[in-house]
Amino acid sequence: MSSLNQALRAALDHRQDLLAELHAQGTDCYRLFHGSQEGAGGLTIDRYGPQLLVQSFHQSLESDDLLHLHQAINQHLGLELLLVYNDRSRGNSRIDREDTVYRAEPAALEDLVGHEWGLNYRVRGRHAGQDPLLFLDLRNTRGWVKANSAGKSVLNLFAYTCGVGLSAAAGGAREVCNLDFAEGNLAVGRENGQLNPQLPTMEFIQSDYFPAIRQLAGLPISQRRGQKLPSYPRLEQRQYDLVLLDPPAWAKSAFGTV
Ligand SMILES: C[S@@+](CC[C@H](N)C(=O)[O-])C[C@H]1O[C@@H](n2cnc3c(N)ncnc32)[C@H](O)[C@@H]1O
């Protein structure tokens, strides 16, 4: 057995109880192999519902290794997952569009639906952004929000595709507002809302974080000397019961750096 196969086998064995727990929670999006900690630096393997997403960040995988790990995971889970391989080992973690190792079937590259805490999420294995539209690392936070939002007004800052907002709505929040400066991310958030038609509708605000929180706090928006600020939506001063912030590190905008 190759060292990669051995490492993968150990990772799957270690996750036996976790996977049973996640499936019972209505979650089928999770990391199956975290190479840097589990014996193959620069390799990650994630399941997003019907899709298996394999990504290499340091060196390309051999196609035999890729096909073998796909088969081993399918066998372990008793599923036929659709394989997408993103080779990010060249050029700034960008995906190698030439598909030299493995060409994904068209069905694997379509918009699909994954599940987390019983909610439906749009997942897309390959697009311009870095992840398939759901950041797996925030799963437990989203679970906490779902369990602690009943009757509350919730503000989801740095909303991305609005998973936190969706979780709050599912947890019985009386009002949910998602805020992000990227319209494309909020558009997926709206789509996520539509994929869960049983939930109350949410509010979406496309705005930079800085002018938004200053207005909500009743503070003035300071202009930098000699610099005209981009326009921003006007918001009334107000409070929320629960505010979640999940900013990226060192994100720069005209209004400041998070
Ligand atoms: C780490 S993601 C948030 C993930 C999200 N909490 C979730 O559950 O999927 C960070 C988000 O912050 C947004 N963002 C970064 N800088 C921003 C800023 N200055 N104002 C508003 N949004 C910003 C990005 O567009 C991105 O969607």
Side-chain angles (χ1 to χ4, degrees), residues 155-159 177-183 186 204-216 221-222 224 229-235 245 247-248 250-258:
L155 177 61
N156 177 22
L157 296 168
F158 306 96
C177 178
N178 298 291
L179 185 141
D180 200 287
F181 66 7
E183 177 48 37
L186 293 176
F204 301 87
I205 299 178
Q206 185 194 354
S207 171
D208 194 283
Y209 158 81
F210 290 104
I213 51 150
R214 290 192 73 85
Q215 290 180 89
L216 292 171
I221 294 164
S222 40
R224 288 195 192 158
L229 288 174
S231 63
Y232 49 86
R234 300 291 184 250
L235 301 174
L245 297 94
W250 298 112
K252 282 190 186 165
S253 78
F255 295 92
T257 301
V258 184

Side-chain angles (χ1 to χ4, degrees), residues 119 149 151-152 165-178 189-190 192-194 196-204:
L119 297 170
S149 293
K152 295 192 172 134
L166 211 61
S167 305
R174 77 183 141 78
E175 185 190 352
V176 177
C177 178
N178 298 291
R190 287 193 189 88
N192 280 336
Q194 287 158 8
N196 296 276
Q198 75 285 6
L199 299 183
T201 51
M202 305 185 283
E203 190 186 347
F204 301 87

Side-chain angles (χ1 to χ4, degrees), residues 116-117 119 121 142-143 145-147 149 162-172:
E116 188 194 84
W117 296 107
L119 297 170
Y121 285 91
R142 286 187 289 261
V145 168
K146 190 174 175 216
S149 293
C162 307
V164 168
L166 211 61
S167 305

Side-chain angles (χ1 to χ4, degrees), residues 111-127:
D111 283 1
L112 299 169
V113 176
H115 305 90
E116 188 194 84
W117 296 107
L119 297 170
N120 301 327
Y121 285 91
R122 173 61 72 223
V123 294
R124 199 175 293 152
R126 193 175 290 172
H127 65 108

